[in-house]
Amino acid sequence: MKLKEMEPEMNRSRIVSPQEWEAARQQLLVKEKELTRARDALAAERRRMPWLAVEKEYAFDGPKGKASLLDLFDGRRQLIVYRAFFEPGVHGWPDHACVGCSMVADHVGHLAHLNARNTTLVFCSRAPQADIERVKARMGWQMPWYTITDDFDTDFGVDEWHGTNAFIREGDSVFRTYFINNRGDEAMGSTWSYLDLTALGRQEEWEDSPEGYPQTLPYEWWNWHDEYGDAQPSEEWSAQVERGIRAGQGRRRRRS
C-alpha cells in the first residue's frame, strides 16, 4: 500500500506566498511575546510566594545509604523533588517506571546547569534502591533518585499522582516554596523550566526579584556542562554575547 493511501484526509491550512507566510508569523509573534512576558511575570510572583517551614523529619534511602531531606540538597541552596511512580502496583513494574514519569525523566537536561545555579534536582519513588539503579542504567538516566520510606509523598501531595516540589534552605532549616503537578509537569525538563519554579529563579539581573536575591549577568554564567567551576567567562563568549545583544537577539543587561 502506498503511503499516500494510508494517510487520512485532513482539513489542512491554506497555502500562501512567502510574504503572506511571514506576515502571518509576525502577527502570531506578537502574541507569543505577550505569552513570554506573562510567563516571566508569573515566575516573578512565584519568587514572592511565602515559605512554609518543614518541621517534620523525613528519611530516604539513597545510593549512599540513609538520607534526610536536608541531605538531598547535596550542599546547595535549593532543591527540586519530582515524585516519580516506580514501585509495585504501577504499570511497568519491575522493568519500567510509570510511562508518564519515564517521559518526564527522558526530558531532564544536563544537571550541571542547574547545579551552577546552586540548585539540585532529585527524583524519588517507593521502589528499593536496587531496582532504581537497575532501571536508571537501562534507561540512561543520571539524576539522583531516592527511595521514600515514610510519609513524605502524602505530606507533600504526591502520594497518588506525580508532582514537583521546590524547597530552599537557610542553614539547616528547610522551607517549601512551591508545588506543581498535573499538566504543570508537562513543561518540566529544561534548566529554565526548573529554575522558574524556584524561589531564587534563574538568578539573572533582568528578572523581577525581591531586593537582595542573588543575580548575575545573563548568558555569561553559561558554560559547557563539563567545564563549570571557578573560571570566568572567556573573552570570546562574552564578545559573542555582546554581538547578539546589539543585534537584538538577547536580553539587554543593566550593567556592563
Side-chain angles (χ1 to χ4, degrees):
M1 183 179 294
K2 296 181 180 179
L3 180 61
K4 185 175 182 181
E5 295 174 349
M6 296 173 59
E7 294 176 348
E9 291 292 329
M10 57 180 286
N11 185 19
R12 62 169 174 77
S13 190
R14 61 197 177 92
I15 308 300
V16 297
S17 67
Q19 294 78 15
E20 291 175 296
W21 187 90
E22 182 60 26
R25 189 187 78 87
Q26 290 295 330
Q27 186 176 13
L28 189 59
L29 185 60
V30 173
K31 294 181 179 180
E32 290 175 337
K33 289 184 176 181
E34 290 175 353
L35 177 60
T36 298
R37 287 189 287 267
R39 188 172 61 243
D40 289 343
L42 184 60
E45 289 191 45
R46 288 195 194 102
R47 293 190 288 278
R48 290 167 172 81
M49 276 277 293
W51 295 3
L52 177 65
V54 180
E55 307 285 0
K56 190 173 176 180
E57 297 289 334
Y58 294 97
F60 302 83
D61 286 333
K64 299 179 181 179
K66 296 293 183 182
S68 66
L69 182 61
L70 186 63
D71 291 332
L72 268 57
F73 282 78
D74 197 22
R76 301 185 181 91
R77 184 76 189 277
Q78 299 190 123
L79 171 68
I80 301 169
V81 181
Y82 176 74
R83 200 298 198 206
F85 277 82
F86 177 46
E87 57 211 56
V90 172
H91 174 66
W93 175 264
D95 297 322
H96 282 291
C98 155
V99 173
C101 295
S102 297
M103 183 173 285
V104 171
D106 283 339
H107 280 78
V108 173
H110 202 287
L111 299 177
H113 305 296
L114 279 175
N115 296 165
R117 294 280 88 176
N118 212 6
T119 302
T120 298
L121 170 69
V122 305
F123 277 41
C124 65
S125 299
R126 286 200 169 270
Q129 278 295 297
D131 293 298
I132 288 174
E133 291 303 316
R134 172 177 48 79
V135 168
K136 282 179 62 178
R138 172 177 181 169
M139 303 300 287
W141 297 328
Q142 299 297 317
M143 72 285 289
W145 199 316
Y146 292 85
T147 301
I148 302 168
T149 66
D150 50 27
D151 296 330
F152 176 86
D153 50 359
T154 301
D155 293 348
F156 289 96
V158 288
D159 54 322
E160 297 182 354
W161 197 246
H162 63 85
T164 303
N165 278 280
F167 302 90
I168 197 168
R169 70 176 182 88
E170 289 189 337
D172 290 343
S173 298
V174 176
F175 304 88
R176 188 190 195 192
T177 60
Y178 197 66
F179 173 64
I180 193 166
N181 63 357
N182 297 329
R183 288 194 63 194
D185 276 336
E186 286 181 351
M188 295 297 96
S190 76
T191 299
W192 311 123
S193 62
Y194 281 122
L195 289 177
D196 283 348
L197 296 185
T198 66
L200 301 182
R202 304 185 186 191
Q203 301 164 55
E204 294 184 343
E205 65 170 9
W206 61 269
E207 287 181 300
D208 175 12
S209 293
E211 185 175 355
Y213 274 41
Q215 290 187 325
T216 63
L217 291 171
Y219 310 111
E220 293 199 359
W221 67 269
W222 301 5
N223 209 339
W224 294 291
H225 70 246
D226 62 345
E227 291 197 11
Y228 276 112
D230 297 329
Q232 296 298 311
S234 69
E235 292 184 5
E236 292 84 358
W237 171 237
S238 297
Q240 182 176 329
V241 167
E242 187 60 32
R243 288 195 297 272
I245 291 173
R246 290 179 179 177
Q249 297 173 347
R251 297 183 184 274
R252 295 199 174 274
R253 296 171 289 189
R254 296 176 185 172
R255 62 182 188 274
S256 59

